[in-house]
């Protein structure tokens, strides 16, 4: 349990790294929190520094989820037989995800919405489930031209996909918690979508 707690702490600290904020600051000297929506994620990083900056932030945010989960799975597989790798990976995923939402480096404020970090987690935990969520994201984003709408669709699909492809309650519970938190972080976007005020992906 002590080792698991250590992994969770390390996962949280990695997830809390404000990738977009750092990248934009390094390349443009701008504070991402004062631009556009004020969010530190890939969408706002694209607004500040163009598509290369948005893609770089997306990759970094995904790695913040994927690396801790992969390491937790490896550590569990290498440990005693009574260790449950699924539990370790789910714990690492939630820790990294919460780090992104509530980063200690930013005094637990102005965190991201968690979509990319969640994607990185489930790229390791359940690639088929992530594939289903990405498919929903592409379909809805393409139809609505709103990334937030696609992100919400992916969040709704993810737990159902995990239940279908993985089965264990631990993985499903992890996906459900992440899904609920992603939707909650998008509450302002939901309000704007309902009012028809959400800005499109491309003008």
């Amino acid at each position: 349990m002590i080792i698991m707690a250590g992994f969770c702490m390390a996962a949280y600290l990695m997830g809390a790294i404000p990738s977009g904020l750092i990248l934009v600051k390094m390349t443009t000297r701008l504070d991402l929190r004062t631009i556009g929506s004020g969010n530190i994620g890939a969408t706002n990083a694209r607004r500040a520094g163009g598509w290369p900056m948005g893609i770089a932030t997306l990759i970094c945010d995904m790695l913040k989820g994927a690396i801790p989960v992969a390491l937790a799975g490896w550590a569990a597989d290498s440990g005693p037989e009574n260790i449950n790798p699924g539990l370790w990976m789910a714990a690492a995923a939630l820790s990294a995800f919460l780090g992104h939402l509530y980063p200690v480096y930013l005094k637990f404020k102005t965190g991201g919405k968690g979509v990319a970090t969640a994607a990185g987690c489930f790229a390791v935990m359940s690639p088929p489930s992530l594939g289903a969520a990405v498919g929903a994201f592409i379909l809805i984003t393409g139809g609505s031209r709103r990334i937030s709408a696609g992100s919400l669709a992916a969040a709704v699909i993810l737990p159902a996909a995990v239940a279908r492809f993985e089965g264990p309650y631990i993985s499903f519970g992890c996906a459900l918690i992440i899904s609920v938190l992603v939707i909650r972080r998008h509450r302002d976007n939901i309000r704007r979508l309902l009012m028809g005020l959400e800005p499109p992906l491309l003008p």
Side-chain angles (χ1 to χ4, degrees):
M1 292 301 295
I2 294 176
I3 296 175
M4 183 179 178
F7 264 100
C8 288
M9 179 59 69
Y12 170 83
L13 293 174
M14 179 173 287
I17 298 172
S19 308
L21 184 66
I22 293 171
L23 290 171
V24 170
K25 190 73 172 179
M26 289 174 58
T27 55
T28 68
R29 299 187 181 279
L30 297 173
D31 188 334
L32 192 55
R33 294 168 293 183
T34 65
I35 298 170
S37 65
N39 189 266
I40 63 171
T43 300
N44 208 37
R46 179 190 64 82
R47 295 189 185 106
W51 282 102
M53 188 60 57
I55 292 171
T57 300
L58 175 67
I59 292 171
C60 288
D61 284 350
M62 289 185 67
L63 288 174
K64 293 192 310 184
I67 291 173
V69 173
L71 289 175
W74 171 80
D77 285 335
S78 303
E81 293 183 2
N82 62 340
I83 290 180
N84 184 339
L87 176 60
W88 279 53
M89 293 170 76
L94 283 173
S95 299
F97 178 77
L98 290 173
H100 182 72
L101 264 60
Y102 308 104
V104 64
Y105 310 117
L106 302 179
K107 299 180 180 179
F108 306 104
K109 300 177 181 178
T110 62
K113 295 180 180 177
V115 176
T117 302
C121 293
F122 282 93
V124 178
M125 291 177 65
S126 179
S129 301
L130 177 62
V134 169
F137 173 84
I138 293 172
L139 180 65
I140 300 302
T141 299
S144 67
R145 295 174 58 237
R146 269 72 179 173
I147 287 181
S148 58
S151 298
L152 289 165
V156 170
I157 291 295
L158 181 64
V162 170
R164 167 66 177 83
F165 292 113
E166 303 302 324
Y169 292 118
I170 293 173
S171 299
F172 171 74
C174 176
L176 184 61
I177 292 171
I178 285 176
S179 174
V180 169
L181 289 174
V182 166
I183 293 171
R184 184 177 182 277
R185 297 289 279 195
H186 280 80
R187 57 189 181 276
D188 290 338
N189 303 89
I190 294 171
R191 190 177 302 112
R192 289 193 295 267
L193 285 167
L194 292 173
M195 297 173 64
L197 300 176
E198 183 74 348
L201 173 60
L202 295 174

